[in-house]
Amino acid sequence: MAVLDPVILFFVLGVAAGLMRSELRLPAPVYEFLSMVLLLAIGLKGGAELGRQSLPALLPQVAAVAAMGAIMPLLAFPVLHVVGRLKRADAAAIAAHYGSVSVGTFAVATAYLTYRDIGFEAYMPVFVVILEIPAIIVGVALARGIAMETRWKRMAHEVLLGKSIVLLVGGLLIGWAVGAEGLQPIGFLFFDLFKGVLALFLLEMGLIAAGQLGSLRHHGPFLVAFGLGMPLVGAALGLGLAAAFQMSLGGTVLMATLAASASYIAVPAAFRLIVPEANPALSLTASLGVTFPFNILAGIPFYHHLAARLEGGL
Amino acid sequence: MAVLDPVILFFVLGVAAGLMRSELRLPAPVYEFLSMVLLLAIGLKGGAELGRQSLPALLPQVAAVAAMGAIMPLLAFPVLHVVGRLKRADAAAIAAHYGSVSVGTFAVATAYLTYRDIGFEAYMPVFVVILEIPAIIVGVALARGIAMETRWKRMAHEVLLGKSIVLLVGGLLIGWAVGAEGLQPIGFLFFDLFKGVLALFLLEMGLIAAGQLGSLRHHGPFLVAFGLGMPLVGAALGLGLAAAFQMSLGGTVLMATLAASASYIAVPAAFRLIVPEANPALSLTASLGVTFPFNILAGIPFYHHLAARLEGGL
Amino acid sequence: MAVLDPVILFFVLGVAAGLMRSELRLPAPVYEFLSMVLLLAIGLKGGAELGRQSLPALLPQVAAVAAMGAIMPLLAFPVLHVVGRLKRADAAAIAAHYGSVSVGTFAVATAYLTYRDIGFEAYMPVFVVILEIPAIIVGVALARGIAMETRWKRMAHEVLLGKSIVLLVGGLLIGWAVGAEGLQPIGFLFFDLFKGVLALFLLEMGLIAAGQLGSLRHHGPFLVAFGLGMPLVGAALGLGLAAAFQMSLGGTVLMATLAASASYIAVPAAFRLIVPEANPALSLTASLGVTFPFNILAGIPFYHHLAARLEGGL
Amino acid sequence: MPRQVRKLVTIIAEAALEGMLLEDVEALGAHGYTVTEARGKGSRGVRAGSWEASSNIRVEIVCDDRTADAIIHHVEERYYRNFAMILFISDVDVLRPEKF
Amino acid sequence: MPRQVRKLVTIIAEAALEGMLLEDVEALGAHGYTVTEARGKGSRGVRAGSWEASSNIRVEIVCDDRTADAIIHHVEERYYRNFAMILFISDVDVLRPEKF
Amino acid sequence: MPRQVRKLVTIIAEAALEGMLLEDVEALGAHGYTVTEARGKGSRGVRAGSWEASSNIRVEIVCDDRTADAIIHHVEERYYRNFAMILFISDVDVLRPEKF
Ligand SMILES: Nc1ncnc2c1ncn2[C@@H]1O[C@H](COP(=O)(O)O)[C@@H](O)[C@H]1O
Ligand SMILES: Nc1ncnc2c1ncn2[C@@H]1O[C@H](COP(=O)(O)O)[C@@H](O)[C@H]1O
Ligand SMILES: Nc1ncnc2c1ncn2[C@@H]1O[C@H](COP(=O)(O)O)[C@@H](O)[C@H]1O
Ligand code: NA
Ligand code: NA
Ligand code: NA
């Protein structure tokens, strides 16, 4: 890294301000607004690209990615339940978080690549959408068993019509319908401002992450270890998948990042209502307090390094 | 339409999300912020152009437009009161909504024209301001008679100092004072971002419109018919006026759109306080639940079609 | 001034709307958001420039500016306490406001200069940070004496970790770390939109200032006289300092403006908690109701005039 | 300080009423009021707060019995019929009775 | 108008519950409710309201005794164990008793 | 569950006090608190909430009598003179008395 990425430094500023107990905070409606712009922007960009793809050709990749999202919680659950001695519901919830994705982390990774002029498969946002869902289903099944009287219908509603999916999918569809050129008139807001919006978003994420650090003390070293180790397992899976599909360097980095990242919006919201006995403090501490900062600050460059070596023929 | 206008698709996304009961919503302060930017942008652009006009030459048009705003409620009222059997206050309130204008619809129409590179008289925002007011006065008089002890003073205050008028007029004056070149430094926010801001605004409008659809069931088919028919009457008036003043194709489309659109900000606010016995659910259902979507999705292209035929010599 | 600066006209619009009791207001979260963007933008720009400076060479100026910030309250206090017969705490609080700075006024001054293509020392934001603090310490000491059981620790926390300092210093550090080129990807938000954001910010400042005018009646002509006279004293100090350091024309205008401006964020917040017996209505009326509008509308052009004469050899 | 009983009048109403209602409340003798933003549902349907026309405010007034009665009477007369609103009253202890 | 006593049930709960909770409250017979945004601290730590997962809502329901009991019972059974929340009840006077 | 009576202490104060006030409330034994944003008018004039210096907060604390007395006493001593604020107290029924 010749120069520092300013976007990351906003995250660092947020963490620092949070740890020093500054009164700084982004108003909640503004944070929500920025998230919405990011989600739409990611969707729009991916959708515009989709128009240029043959969709059937993408299907194998989509299926493989969905399978990866379902497998990751299955890997994570025994570690959490047996090694970490977490209650069944808690282990299942955390496992689901790590099988799913963090859109914020994905946004940082795309900014990271753009900053370094590294291209990537522009339809990657499709995978973001795909990855959000299977892990939730697997996680709920792990918590409750399948033969349960779980409110699957409410769950489907919560998951499929949650804010993030609607905006991502909506963006994809609009982008796909109008194409890259058609998006131009709204490009100032969604594309030119993207990094600035991401910077402010990360400032607040830093403040939130700093707030989670406090609860790390209560939950002991196991969560920290898991929050650092699981992304590496995920990244390995992601690298493997990208290699299998002969993706570009940038696409490989993104795939690793997606797999390595842990949800902190869609999954917590769904589990809160479907498996409420799972303690959200545990999963959010791991996901926001450990894994998010790790991926942002160290993970992405590391996955880049790995992807480059992989490409270079190992 | 060779390509779809992305801005409209955001409205469709909002309606779809609303109908599927997604939890998506723009935070209220953000919605208000976006409205303010749109109102100021429209005012600024119109004002900058006013500087280039001879104001006296505009006076006849201004007077004619104001008269149109006063006449439309007089046309609508008997239909609502006699045919629709609505109570006097309700009929008067709805009539006033349709005599006045929807700034959001106007914004979409300007975006529609810009998207197709169709020019228009840049002082049109003046007519937006002019049209806001006469219909309210006529509507209140219809509801109460003129010899009443109506609180005209409070009404004047409500109407003239309401948010939308202040921002439109303020924008006009600032634009007029500094001219197009003087506006350049603030052009990134008010002009370059205009369509992006409009897109997000329409997303929320879609959600709101979807919410109104629920109450359509209660209020029966008459409101739907009125909400579809009255815009056509208005559009005809607008087309006629534009033809009389030999306006350009774009100006004709905008004039038709202005006349066809129904208020959902200034008029409801005024009637709530001056004629509170009018049921706001009725007028908002018609204005937001029927006429706004109709104009956005079908009306504007249709008025364009009509204006083109009119221009082509019929 | 060949043309009017639109940014100032937004302030005038706000004042006018406020005086006419329009219901116009920017939602509080949006106002906070705009302030944050302004503070970060000022910091970032200054920081990017800092990288090009030899920091030791700046030290004498920094020390002189800090001294100026400490001296101004000492000049103001006796006037307020003896001439104005204000209570000790109130006199000390107002004195501190005038020793410190208004970031909003600084932003307008930079916009004023850019609008006229007048260059300035780009590290000026450093002085904004430096000036925020000494006046608070002196003011508290004036109110309480030094040997007090004042909660200095809480004060340090309040002042150093207050929102505005954290954003300014954070921006400075980020700008300094990545340099002007590194900031480019986030430049759309922080630089291109700067004037538009400033315009909306000033709209709300106008509304707030108009609200303060009401309390002017209660507090008599002394506060008005002080609010108009003290900026001139400050400006004289600022001009002198700038001359001593042979600053550019633009730098001289900014230095005068900084010294002439009065805080309305950091100082009120700190005094509220450290010297709560001081009546905030007094200091805010002077600072926001008198000095801010004066500086924006008349002061800055006047300091420009003075600086130009000074440069021209007097 | 000795505590004394006062009335707490809580009014939840559509936001459009804010200006008029607060003017009236003051004119009827209240020494102060507090407003928070609210949304809700009642006989006039859902008021989701997503934009102005669908927002509510929640107004609290601590006052003596006489003022409370005046406010209640006025609201009943003037606003009950045409506006989305509810009003309820309870007793609260205060420390500075002269303030209310 | 004659005043009558009703129950005011106040529930402060994590925002995620909003949809389910309000559905239940209506199903149990309440004629309306009012919601305000809140933040706070309790046995489950600080809920600072800076983003969705850490926000609370404050729900007020004015209703008759029977409905109040039903709501209380339901909340106790269904939500107390797993959700950040508190509930308290008081008496309030209302003017249109048939409304609640 | 058996219901028991507790105190509900409501404080409406200028937002600048938030940090200090909540620290104190906890130190005096409260097990939790709830905060909502507010604006209003009182003896110190209009506090319109349009920016920080003119915003209020509304703090609610459910607690036992002893804690309520401690909070009331402390607020009276420490804040009444210099800050825009009011405080009032009422009785509420709660279900999990050990929680408050
Ligand atoms: N039973 C109730 N309990 C609490 N709040 C209510 C109740 N009924 C109505 N409200 C509130 O008062 C507003 C107006 O009520 P209404 O006039 O019945 O539509 C609603 O939007 C709610 O915020
Ligand atoms: N003693 C209390 N007084 C007022 N509010 C409380 C109290 N305890 C908890 N709360 C509120 O209820 C929410 C959930 O509480 P808990 O389940 O105890 O974490 C908190 O975030 C507070 O907003
Ligand atoms: N009588 C009252 N009823 C309700 N709220 C009040 C009352 N008096 C004051 N307040 C609130 O308390 C804040 C501070 O009051 P004060 O210290 O009297 O200016 C005001 O801004 C209001 O929000
Ligand atoms: Na993952
Ligand atoms: Na019309
Ligand atoms: Na100064």
Side-chain angles (χ1 to χ4, degrees):
Chain A
M1 286 204 300
V3 275
L4 283 159
D5 192 336
V7 166
I8 301 300
L9 295 178
F10 278 84
F11 181 75
V12 174
L13 174 59
V15 172
L19 291 180
M20 295 186 302
R21 305 190 165 278
S22 160
E23 59 166 40
L24 183 66
R25 42 177 280 209
L26 213 59
V30 173
Y31 173 78
E32 225 177 296
F33 174 52
L34 300 180
S35 321
M36 290 177 71
V37 172
L38 290 181
L39 287 161
L40 281 168
I42 290 172
L44 288 168
K45 204 151 211 172
E49 188 58 28
L50 265 193
R52 301 198 190 127
Q53 297 291 323
S54 115
L55 292 187
L58 269 185
L59 272 186
Q61 293 193 35
V62 164
V65 164
M68 182 176 76
I71 287 165
M72 276 192 289
L74 295 174
L75 294 177
F77 179 75
V79 177
L80 291 156
H81 192 40
V82 180
V83 184
R85 298 185 187 208
L86 290 167
K87 282 191 294 182
R88 181 170 197 90
D90 289 326
I94 302 177
H97 281 67
Y98 281 82
S100 181
V101 290
S102 147
V103 178
T105 310
F106 177 75
V108 171
T110 63
Y112 174 96
L113 294 174
T114 321
Y115 200 70
R116 283 159 186 75
D117 270 326
I118 303 174
F120 53 87
E121 286 74 3
Y123 52 82
M124 294 297 298
V126 177
F127 297 160
V128 179
V129 177
I130 298 299
L131 274 172
E132 291 246 26
I133 297 162
I136 300 180
I137 300 171
V138 173
V140 172
L142 283 170
R144 295 278 179 87
I146 302 180
M148 63 192 153
E149 33 29 314
T150 305
R151 316 202 221 165
W152 285 109
K153 218 178 121 193
R154 173 168 281 280
M155 181 170 118
H157 186 272
E158 281 302 319
V159 174
L160 296 178
L161 293 172
K163 203 180 52 177
S164 50
I165 295 275
V166 169
L167 290 173
L168 277 173
V169 172
L172 276 172
L173 291 175
I174 294 177
W176 174 77
V178 304
E181 226 170 286
L183 288 179
Q184 231 195 297
I186 58 172
F188 286 104
L189 178 55
F190 291 109
F191 304 144
D192 290 354
L193 286 184
F194 185 79
K195 288 214 172 171
V197 168
L198 183 59
L200 289 175
F201 174 84
L202 288 175
L203 180 65
E204 178 65 22
M205 289 303 301
L207 291 163
I208 292 175
Q212 301 293 332
L213 290 182
S215 46
L216 266 186
R217 255 170 285 140
H218 305 295
H219 300 304
F222 173 74
L223 269 193
V224 179
F226 182 82
L228 296 174
M230 187 63 203
L232 299 178
V233 175
L237 282 176
L239 288 172
L241 207 63
F245 286 107
Q246 300 187 294
M247 300 183 77
S248 70
L249 173 62
T252 306
V253 174
L254 286 182
M255 192 62 100
T257 303
L258 278 176
S261 76
S263 171
Y264 53 83
I265 298 180
V267 181
F271 265 72
R272 216 53 213 107
L273 297 182
I274 319 296
V275 190
E277 66 272 27
N279 178 0
L282 292 174
S283 36
L284 285 176
T285 299
S287 158
L288 273 179
V290 182
T291 302
F292 185 82
F294 168 71
N295 275 329
I296 297 295
L297 299 175
I300 295 172
F302 181 55
Y303 312 145
H304 178 196
H305 173 77
L306 292 180
R309 291 200 51 176
L310 207 71
E311 194 183 42
L314 218 69
Chain B
M1 283 204 302
V3 275
L4 283 160
D5 193 335
V7 165
I8 301 300
L9 294 178
F10 278 85
F11 180 74
V12 175
L13 175 59
V15 172
L19 291 180
M20 296 184 303
R21 304 191 166 281
S22 159
E23 58 166 38
L24 184 65
R25 41 178 280 210
L26 214 59
V30 173
Y31 173 79
E32 226 178 294
F33 174 52
L34 299 179
S35 323
M36 290 178 71
V37 171
L38 290 181
L39 287 161
L40 282 169
I42 289 171
L44 288 168
K45 204 148 209 172
E49 188 57 26
L50 265 192
R52 299 198 192 128
Q53 298 290 324
S54 117
L55 292 187
L58 269 186
L59 272 187
Q61 294 194 32
V62 163
V65 164
M68 181 176 77
I71 287 165
M72 276 191 288
L74 294 174
L75 295 176
F77 179 75
V79 178
L80 292 155
H81 191 39
V82 179
V83 183
R85 298 185 187 207
L86 290 166
K87 282 191 293 181
R88 182 174 196 88
D90 288 326
I94 300 177
H97 281 68
Y98 281 83
S100 183
V101 292
S102 147
V103 178
T105 310
F106 177 77
V108 172
T110 64
Y112 174 95
L113 294 174
T114 321
Y115 199 70
R116 283 158 185 75
D117 270 326
I118 303 172
F120 53 87
E121 287 74 5
Y123 53 81
M124 294 296 297
V126 176
F127 298 158
V128 179
V129 175
I130 298 299
L131 273 172
E132 292 246 23
I133 298 161
I136 299 179
I137 300 171
V138 173
V140 171
L142 283 169
R144 296 279 180 87
I146 302 181
M148 62 191 158
E149 29 37 309
T150 303
R151 316 200 221 165
W152 285 109
K153 219 179 120 192
R154 173 169 282 279
M155 180 172 119
H157 185 270
E158 280 302 319
V159 173
L160 297 177
L161 293 172
K163 203 181 54 174
S164 50
I165 295 275
V166 169
L167 290 174
L168 277 173
V169 172
L172 276 173
L173 291 176
I174 293 177
W176 175 76
V178 305
E181 225 171 288
L183 287 179
Q184 228 196 295
I186 59 172
F188 285 104
L189 178 54
F190 290 109
F191 304 144
D192 291 353
L193 286 184
F194 185 79
K195 289 217 172 167
V197 167
L198 183 58
L200 289 175
F201 173 83
L202 287 175
L203 180 65
E204 177 67 21
M205 288 305 300
L207 291 164
I208 292 175
Q212 301 293 332
L213 291 182
S215 46
L216 266 186
R217 256 169 284 142
H218 306 294
H219 300 305
F222 173 75
L223 269 192
V224 178
F226 182 82
L228 295 174
M230 187 62 205
L232 299 178
V233 175
L237 281 177
L239 288 171
L241 207 66
F245 286 108
Q246 301 188 293
M247 299 184 76
S248 71
L249 173 64
T252 306
V253 175
L254 286 182
M255 192 62 100
T257 303
L258 279 176
S261 76
S263 171
Y264 53 84
I265 298 181
V267 180
F271 265 72
R272 216 54 213 106
L273 297 183
I274 318 296
V275 189
E277 65 271 27
N279 178 359
L282 292 175
S283 37
L284 285 177
T285 298
S287 157
L288 273 179
V290 181
T291 303
F292 186 82
F294 169 71
N295 276 328
I296 297 295
L297 299 176
I300 295 172
F302 181 54
Y303 312 146
H304 178 195
H305 173 76
L306 292 180
R309 292 200 50 174
L310 207 72
E311 195 183 44
L314 216 65
Chain C
M1 283 206 299
V3 275
L4 282 161
D5 192 336
V7 165
I8 302 300
L9 294 179
F10 277 85
F11 181 73
V12 175
L13 175 59
V15 171
L19 291 180
M20 295 185 302
R21 303 191 166 282
S22 159
E23 59 166 38
L24 183 66
R25 40 177 282 209
L26 212 62
V30 173
Y31 173 79
E32 225 178 294
F33 174 52
L34 299 180
S35 322
M36 290 178 71
V37 172
L38 290 181
L39 287 161
L40 281 169
I42 290 172
L44 288 168
K45 202 149 211 173
E49 188 58 28
L50 264 193
R52 301 200 190 124
Q53 297 290 323
S54 116
L55 291 187
L58 269 185
L59 272 186
Q61 293 193 32
V62 164
V65 165
M68 181 177 75
I71 288 165
M72 276 192 288
L74 294 174
L75 294 176
F77 179 75
V79 177
L80 291 156
H81 192 39
V82 180
V83 183
R85 297 186 188 207
L86 290 167
K87 281 191 295 179
R88 183 175 196 87
D90 288 326
I94 301 177
H97 281 68
Y98 281 82
S100 182
V101 291
S102 146
V103 178
T105 311
F106 177 76
V108 172
T110 62
Y112 174 96
L113 295 174
T114 322
Y115 199 70
R116 284 157 186 75
D117 270 328
I118 304 173
F120 54 85
E121 285 76 3
Y123 52 82
M124 295 296 298
V126 177
F127 298 160
V128 178
V129 176
I130 298 299
L131 272 172
E132 291 247 26
I133 297 160
I136 298 179
I137 300 171
V138 172
V140 172
L142 283 169
R144 295 282 178 85
I146 302 180
M148 61 192 157
E149 29 36 310
T150 306
R151 316 202 221 164
W152 287 108
K153 218 178 121 192
R154 175 170 280 279
M155 179 171 121
H157 185 270
E158 281 301 319
V159 174
L160 296 177
L161 293 173
K163 202 181 53 175
S164 51
I165 294 274
V166 169
L167 290 174
L168 277 173
V169 172
L172 276 172
L173 291 176
I174 294 177
W176 175 77
V178 305
E181 225 170 287
L183 288 179
Q184 230 196 296
I186 58 173
F188 285 104
L189 177 55
F190 291 108
F191 304 145
D192 290 353
L193 286 183
F194 186 79
K195 287 213 174 170
V197 168
L198 183 59
L200 289 175
F201 173 84
L202 287 175
L203 181 65
E204 177 67 22
M205 289 304 302
L207 291 164
I208 292 175
Q212 301 294 330
L213 291 181
S215 47
L216 265 186
R217 256 170 284 141
H218 305 294
H219 300 305
F222 173 74
L223 269 195
V224 178
F226 182 82
L228 296 174
M230 187 63 205
L232 299 179
V233 175
L237 281 177
L239 288 172
L241 206 65
F245 285 108
Q246 303 187 294
M247 298 182 78
S248 71
L249 173 63
T252 306
V253 175
L254 286 182
M255 191 63 99
T257 302
L258 279 177
S261 76
S263 172
Y264 54 83
I265 298 180
V267 180
F271 265 72
R272 216 54 213 105
L273 297 183
I274 319 295
V275 189
E277 65 271 26
N279 179 0
L282 293 174
S283 35
L284 284 177
T285 299
S287 157
L288 272 180
V290 182
T291 302
F292 185 81
F294 168 71
N295 276 327
I296 297 294
L297 300 175
I300 294 171
F302 182 53
Y303 312 145
H304 178 196
H305 174 75
L306 292 180
R309 293 200 50 176
L310 207 73
E311 195 183 42
L314 216 66
Chain D
M1 267 188 228
R3 303 188 194 172
Q4 228 168 307
V5 176
R6 285 289 176 273
K7 291 291 178 206
L8 170 64
V9 180
T10 305
I11 303 172
I12 296 160
E14 52 186 289
L17 264 188
E18 177 163 345
M20 251 153 69
L21 185 63
L22 296 181
E23 264 177 34
D24 294 351
V25 159
E26 282 201 82
L28 294 167
H31 297 175
Y33 53 77
T34 296
V35 183
T36 51
E37 313 286 337
R39 47 204 160 87
K41 184 166 181 178
S43 58
R44 296 183 187 240
V46 176
R47 303 187 51 77
S50 48
W51 65 309
E52 233 179 280
S54 84
S55 299
N56 289 340
I57 50 170
R58 182 180 185 281
V59 182
E60 286 175 308
I61 305 134
V62 180
C63 56
D64 59 26
D65 286 30
R66 185 196 297 254
T67 309
D69 284 341
I71 293 172
I72 294 161
H73 185 73
H74 177 80
V75 163
E76 199 184 317
E77 288 276 287
R78 181 73 161 279
Y79 299 120
Y80 262 11
R81 226 167 54 109
N82 289 322
F83 291 95
M85 76 183 326
I86 67 169
L87 179 156
F88 50 85
I89 312 116
S90 60
D91 287 338
V92 294
D93 283 1
V94 301
L95 295 184
R96 297 171 292 185
E98 72 288 356
K99 194 172 160 62
F100 300 102
Chain E
M1 268 187 225
R3 304 190 193 170
Q4 229 168 305
V5 177
R6 285 290 177 274
K7 291 292 177 203
L8 170 65
V9 180
T10 305
I11 303 172
I12 296 160
E14 51 186 287
L17 264 187
E18 178 163 343
M20 251 152 69
L21 185 62
L22 296 180
E23 264 176 34
D24 294 352
V25 159
E26 283 202 82
L28 293 166
H31 297 175
Y33 52 77
T34 295
V35 182
T36 51
E37 312 285 336
R39 48 205 159 87
K41 184 166 179 177
S43 59
R44 294 180 189 241
V46 176
R47 302 187 51 78
S50 47
W51 64 310
E52 233 179 278
S54 84
S55 298
N56 289 341
I57 51 170
R58 183 181 184 281
V59 182
E60 286 175 308
I61 304 133
V62 180
C63 57
D64 59 26
D65 285 32
R66 185 196 298 254
T67 308
D69 284 340
I71 294 173
I72 294 162
H73 185 73
H74 178 79
V75 162
E76 200 185 316
E77 288 275 286
R78 181 75 162 280
Y79 298 120
Y80 262 12
R81 226 168 54 110
N82 289 323
F83 291 95
M85 77 181 328
I86 67 170
L87 178 157
F88 51 85
I89 312 116
S90 60
D91 287 337
V92 293
D93 282 3
V94 301
L95 295 185
R96 298 173 291 186
E98 72 287 357
K99 194 172 160 61
F100 301 102
Chain F
M1 269 186 225
R3 303 189 194 173
Q4 227 167 310
V5 178
R6 285 289 177 275
K7 292 291 178 203
L8 170 63
V9 181
T10 304
I11 303 172
I12 296 161
E14 51 186 290
L17 265 187
E18 178 164 343
M20 251 153 70
L21 186 62
L22 296 181
E23 264 176 33
D24 295 353
V25 160
E26 282 201 81
L28 293 166
H31 297 176
Y33 52 77
T34 295
V35 182
T36 50
E37 312 286 335
R39 48 207 160 85
K41 184 165 179 177
S43 59
R44 295 181 188 242
V46 176
R47 302 186 52 78
S50 48
W51 64 308
E52 232 179 279
S54 84
S55 299
N56 290 340
I57 50 170
R58 183 180 184 281
V59 182
E60 286 175 308
I61 304 133
V62 180
C63 57
D64 58 26
D65 286 32
R66 185 197 296 254
T67 309
D69 285 340
I71 292 173
I72 295 162
H73 186 73
H74 178 79
V75 162
E76 198 184 317
E77 288 275 287
R78 180 73 161 282
Y79 298 120
Y80 262 10
R81 225 166 57 109
N82 290 321
F83 290 94
M85 77 182 327
I86 67 170
L87 179 156
F88 51 85
I89 311 115
S90 60
D91 287 338
V92 294
D93 282 2
V94 300
L95 295 184
R96 298 172 290 185
E98 71 289 357
K99 195 171 160 60
F100 302 102

